[in-house]
Amino acid sequence: MKNYIQKIIIIAILLIAILIWIINLFKPDVVTLNTMNIEDWHIGWTGTYTAYVNGKKVDNNEMIWSSDNTNVATCINGKLTAVGEGVATVTCMTKKGEYTTCLVTVLPDVVTLNTEKLEDWQIGWKGSFTVSINGKKVNNSEMEWISDNTDVATCVGGNLTAVGEGSAIITCINDRGYSAKCVVTVVDKVTLNTEKLEDWQIGWTGSFAAYVNDEKVNNSELEWSSDNEEVATCIDGNLTAVGAGTATITCMNEKGYYATCIVTVVEDDSE
């Protein structure tokens, strides 16, 4: 009787083991990736998935990879590449057909310039833009540059030149059509033949030479003023020192653009 019971127990254990083996044989694999959702990607970005089957890391070459929208993202042996704006679902599948997916969102290119506005530029001034795409600096020659008013400002290869008064919008465009803009305002450049006169003595007189956009103009066309007429006066560009001290002479055109000269008058030590 005892031997009979032992045999039954052994048979039961064997049956249970066979049953567990059969269950595991037909139990579906659990496939997972290191991420199920990739957001805010940009065109040109790449990355590599890590795949697991039943919690164990496997070689990506052992899996079957696919994308439902290869215009947005491709995936070859687990290597992901963003190729266009939009959404794609990447599938990672075992040879037995068990799989998992990852949703990939690719955003438009973000093109930025180092500045969106340049104000009070003067004719003849020059400078260069710095452009970045998706936060990465790129060569200016890779972009297309356009000015909507070349009478005001030109931009060739990212090199800006102010050529006339007014406003212009500079547009920088990449090869996929994404762009950034900068508004450039150019004003008249008013200059004098000198910005400082020192050690003038009371009674001395002289005349300024004034220029607008580097062209000499008649002094009578401009408005002249002194912030301290007890030191110096200026009428139509004619300067007279009248007392010891400091005065700022301002020369302004009809549009309000101006230049200044600081005049210092000293006592006559010869007496």
Side-chain angles (χ1 to χ4, degrees):
M1 183 68 178
K2 184 177 180 179
N3 290 336
Y4 177 74
I5 294 174
Q6 288 177 342
K7 289 180 180 179
I8 291 177
I9 292 172
I10 292 172
I11 292 171
I13 292 173
L14 289 174
L15 288 174
I16 292 171
I18 292 171
L19 180 61
I20 292 174
W21 178 80
I22 292 173
I23 291 173
N24 288 332
L25 181 64
F26 292 98
K27 179 182 177 181
D29 290 330
V30 177
V31 182
T32 56
L33 292 171
N34 55 312
T35 181
M36 306 295 288
N37 192 19
I38 294 178
E39 297 179 325
D40 300 338
W41 260 43
H42 290 286
I43 298 169
W45 286 14
T46 62
T48 302
Y49 287 106
T50 300
Y52 302 86
V53 176
N54 301 324
K56 182 180 178 181
K57 182 179 177 181
V58 297
D59 192 310
N60 284 346
N61 292 328
E62 299 176 11
M63 310 299 288
I64 301 170
W65 300 85
S66 63
S67 168
D68 72 342
N69 192 343
T70 54
N71 291 324
V72 172
T74 62
C75 192
I76 301 174
N77 292 334
K79 183 177 180 181
L80 178 67
T81 302
V83 295
E85 177 188 353
V87 177
T89 299
V90 173
T91 300
C92 171
M93 182 183 296
T94 67
K95 294 178 180 178
K96 293 194 295 183
E98 288 86 6
Y99 66 91
T100 189
T101 61
C102 175
L103 187 67
V104 180
T105 303
V106 181
L107 300 179
D109 284 342
V110 177
V111 181
T112 54
L113 292 171
N114 54 311
T115 182
E116 295 179 350
K117 185 182 291 185
L118 290 171
E119 297 180 320
D120 296 334
W121 262 47
Q122 294 184 0
I123 295 171
W125 283 14
K126 297 182 179 183
S128 297
F129 288 105
T130 299
V131 60
S132 300
I133 298 178
N134 304 325
K136 182 180 179 181
K137 183 179 177 181
V138 298
N139 194 309
N140 285 348
S141 62
E142 299 176 16
M143 312 297 289
E144 180 182 0
W145 299 86
I146 300 172
S147 170
D148 73 339
N149 192 343
T150 54
D151 290 332
V152 172
T154 62
C155 193
V156 179
N159 298 309
L160 177 67
T161 302
V163 295
E165 186 203 358
S167 294
I169 298 175
I170 304 299
T171 303
C172 168
I173 308 173
N174 75 352
D175 56 359
R176 290 184 284 269
Y178 300 105
S179 63
K181 298 179 184 295
C182 177
V183 179
V184 181
T185 303
V186 181
V187 301
D188 282 342
K189 180 175 69 172
V190 180
T191 55
L192 294 171
N193 55 313
T194 182
E195 295 180 350
K196 185 180 292 186
L197 291 171
E198 297 179 322
D199 298 332
W200 262 47
Q201 294 185 4
I202 298 171
W204 284 14
T205 61
S207 296
F208 288 106
Y211 303 83
V212 177
N213 301 326
D214 296 327
E215 292 187 8
K216 187 174 180 181
V217 296
N218 193 309
N219 284 348
S220 61
E221 299 175 12
L222 302 166
E223 180 181 346
W224 300 83
S225 63
S226 168
D227 70 344
N228 192 344
E229 293 188 345
E230 294 181 356
V231 172
T233 61
C234 191
I235 300 174
D236 287 340
N238 298 309
L239 177 67
T240 302
V242 295
T246 301
T248 299
I249 304 301
T250 301
C251 165
M252 182 181 298
N253 74 353
E254 73 280 2
K255 298 173 185 175
Y257 303 116
Y258 63 91
T260 60
C261 175
I262 298 174
V263 180
T264 303
V265 180
V266 297
E267 297 283 357
D268 187 355
D269 295 333
S270 63
E271 297 180 2

